[in-house]
């Protein structure tokens, strides 16, 4: 005989369907394989999305997360699907010992029963444990999102700050993943779910015994624009965009470029009332050939018109990141003249380095520092800088020169002698110099924003664009 389902069972099933639908939308907006397939694009329909989701989501699951400091201590761990023993990190520690630097630890480490995927930021290793083979960029992108969320919540992401706010950290991680799948990764949604810690809120929670968990579901959680909350109001409406480019380059002894590429990002700080719809156009969009967008960007319009059209999240977010690898498009903004020599059988050597601007478009090169790992046979260095200060550590053999700004009329130089160990043979090769610098109001690739327009709201916002170029891994061989 057919039995009617009880009302509470029907309600429970409806809640489960609603939760699964929410997880479906969150993961669709986040998964790197479909990051440009936005649910608010008119050209996309459910039939286009569902097959792609089945391929991208089905095998993906993060079981555990370990936070490890450079000394190898696990100071925080979080488990979602099942508890994974800390001993799995022994494979990571072995790879860490083999790596010369922390940045050189392999991001993917296979083990007999797991895969370890890691990122290194703010002197912390974020290690995700996965039991099935998944697209690696999925987990790596999620780990970067975790770091960005901590930085947004606490102002910085260090071991001390994480330990100080460990309760909020666990609450945030619990919301970011649901049973191993990404659920809420947008800062706006998370801040409505888990209130950011403040001194006043900490005092109230201590007295009343309450927590930072919100009482209501975020307003944007079930909408087609989950990255933006509804009912946003500001007295001053403003939108700022920072175009930041990093140059990675290797320069040989003669000053020729061996390899050069640009890693660029456009970071935004948008504080606009209502539900604005923005378009951002560029003077030369063809420079952007390898681009990764925030899920809010309508990819179809970018493909057809090379215009960024999007409903922005509220607050700070990364609109896009791009990569310029064509060497003819990468201008080297500084040059280095060097004369480093060691004489066979002598207890001294000569050291001379001069810096100068090159293709900096008339902008000032500032914040310049030069570091170099000297050979083991160098006992000490006696140098005279024409500008700035230098430090040589006889133990680590590391030379550091703080230059500051480069004045084209008076080029900074560092000259002097090196004292070598008696009876030591001539070093096999000269040291490599690493440069660090930044140039304000310049995008070295030549990228320029043409205009920013807003639709859907009647007020006129204040708009600002800022450019900056800085050195990434910039090496000069001597």
């Amino acid at each position: 005989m057919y039995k009617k389902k009880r009302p509470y069972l029907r309600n429970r099933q409806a809640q489960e369907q609603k939760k699964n639908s929410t997880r479906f939308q969150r993961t669709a907006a986040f998964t790197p394989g479909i990051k440009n397939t936005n649910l608010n694009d008119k050209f996309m329909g459910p039939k286009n999305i569902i097959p792609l989701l089945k391929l991208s989501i089905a095998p993906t699951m993060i079981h555990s997360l370990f936070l490890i400091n450079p000394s190898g201590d696990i100071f925080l761990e979080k488990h979602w699907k099942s508890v994974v023993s800390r001993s799995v990190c022994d494979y990571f520690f072995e790879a860490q010992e083999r790596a010369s630097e922390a940045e050189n630890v392999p991001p993917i480490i296979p083990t007999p029963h797991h895969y370890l995927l890691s990122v290194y930021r703010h002197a912390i290793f974020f290690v995700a444990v996965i039991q099935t083979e998944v697209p690696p960029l999925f987990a790596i992108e999620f780990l970067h999102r975790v770091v960005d969320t901590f930085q947004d919540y606490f102002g910085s992401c260090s071991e001390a700050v994480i330990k100080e706010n460990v309760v909020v950290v666990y609450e945030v991680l619990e919301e970011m993943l649901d049973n191993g799948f990404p659920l809420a990764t947008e800062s706006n949604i998370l801040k409505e779910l888990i209130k950011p810690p403040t001194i006043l809120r900490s005092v109230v929670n201590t007295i009343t015994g309450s927590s930072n968990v919100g009482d209501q579901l975020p307003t944007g959680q079930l909408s087609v624009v989950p990255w933006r909350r509804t009912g946003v109001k500001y007295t001053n409406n403003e939108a700022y965009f920072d175009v930041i480019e990093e140059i990675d380059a290797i320069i040989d002894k003669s000053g020729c470029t061996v390899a050069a590429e640009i890693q660029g990002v456009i970071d935004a700080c948008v504080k606009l009332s209502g539900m604005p719809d923005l378009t951002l156009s560029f003077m030369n969009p063809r420079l952007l050939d390898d681009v990764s967008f925030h899920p809010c960007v309508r990819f179809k319009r970018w493909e057809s018109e090379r215009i960024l059209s999007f409903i922005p999240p509220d607050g700070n977010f990364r609109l896009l990141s791009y990569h310029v690898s064509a060497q003819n498009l990468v201008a080297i903004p500084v040059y280095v003249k060097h004369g480093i020599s060691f004489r066979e059988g002598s207890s001294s050597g000569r050291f001379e380095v001069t810096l100068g601007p090159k293709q900096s478009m008339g902008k000032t090169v500032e914040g310049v520092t030069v570091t170099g790992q000297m050979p083991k046979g160098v006992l000490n260095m006696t140098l005279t800088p024409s500008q700035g200060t230098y430090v040589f550590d006889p133990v680590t053999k590391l030379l550091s020169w703080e230059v500051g700004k480069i004045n084209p009329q008076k080029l900074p130089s560092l000259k002097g002698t090196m004292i070598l160990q008696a009876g030591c043979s001539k070093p096999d090769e000269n040291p490599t110099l690493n440069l660090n610098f930044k140039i304000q109001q310049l995008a070295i690739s030549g990228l320029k924003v043409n205009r920013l327009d807003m639709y859907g709201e009647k007020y006129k916002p204040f708009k600002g664009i800022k450019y900056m170029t800085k050195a990434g891994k910039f090496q000069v061989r001597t």
Side-chain angles (χ1 to χ4, degrees), residues 231-380:
V232 181
K233 291 184 180 180
Y234 287 102
T235 306
N236 298 321
N237 293 284
E238 51 195 19
Y240 300 105
F241 294 86
D242 294 341
V243 181
I244 304 172
E245 295 187 343
E246 282 192 2
I247 303 178
D248 296 334
I250 299 176
I251 312 299
D252 65 11
K253 292 182 179 182
S254 59
C256 298
T257 303
V258 177
E261 59 183 19
I262 295 173
Q263 309 285 349
V265 298
I266 298 181
D267 289 333
C269 178
V270 177
K271 297 182 179 180
L272 300 175
S273 304
M275 193 69 69
D277 199 326
L278 304 181
T279 60
L280 188 70
S281 60
F282 300 95
M283 299 282 286
N284 39 8
R286 297 297 169 184
L287 288 170
L288 305 177
D289 57 347
D290 185 5
V291 191
S292 175
F293 298 104
H294 188 278
C296 69
V297 175
R298 298 183 179 96
F299 186 59
K300 190 71 174 179
R301 188 166 182 189
W302 170 259
E303 277 191 317
S304 59
E305 304 177 39
R306 289 298 189 203
I307 291 176
L308 294 178
S309 175
F310 57 98
I311 297 175
D314 180 43
N316 299 306
F317 66 100
R318 177 154 293 175
L319 181 62
L320 66 89
S321 57
Y322 58 93
H323 176 221
V324 179
S325 57
Q327 288 198 21
N328 58 333
L329 298 176
V330 181
I332 305 299
V334 296
Y335 69 86
V336 180
K337 290 183 178 179
H338 48 80
I340 303 176
S341 62
F342 302 94
R343 291 190 297 271
E344 190 70 48
S346 175
S347 61
S348 65
R350 187 171 63 89
F351 185 94
E352 181 177 345
V353 172
T354 303
L355 306 177
K358 173 187 175 185
Q359 295 179 312
S360 60
M361 287 69 168
K363 304 295 183 180
T364 302
V365 183
E366 57 186 26
V368 181
T369 60
V370 181
T371 59
Q373 188 69 44
M374 295 295 117
K376 294 181 180 180
V378 178
L379 297 179
N380 207 342

Side-chain angles (χ1 to χ4, degrees), residues 432-465:
T432 299
L433 301 179
N434 298 300
L435 267 68
N436 195 10
F437 57 84
K438 61 182 179 179
I439 307 172
Q440 301 286 355
Q441 294 305 321
L442 174 67
I444 202 68
S445 67
L447 182 69
K448 287 187 179 180
V449 173
N450 182 24
R451 60 183 296 164
L452 174 67
D453 297 312
M454 184 184 75
Y455 305 94
E457 301 292 339
K458 295 182 179 180
Y459 57 83
K460 290 186 177 180
F462 181 80
K463 299 173 283 188
I465 307 289

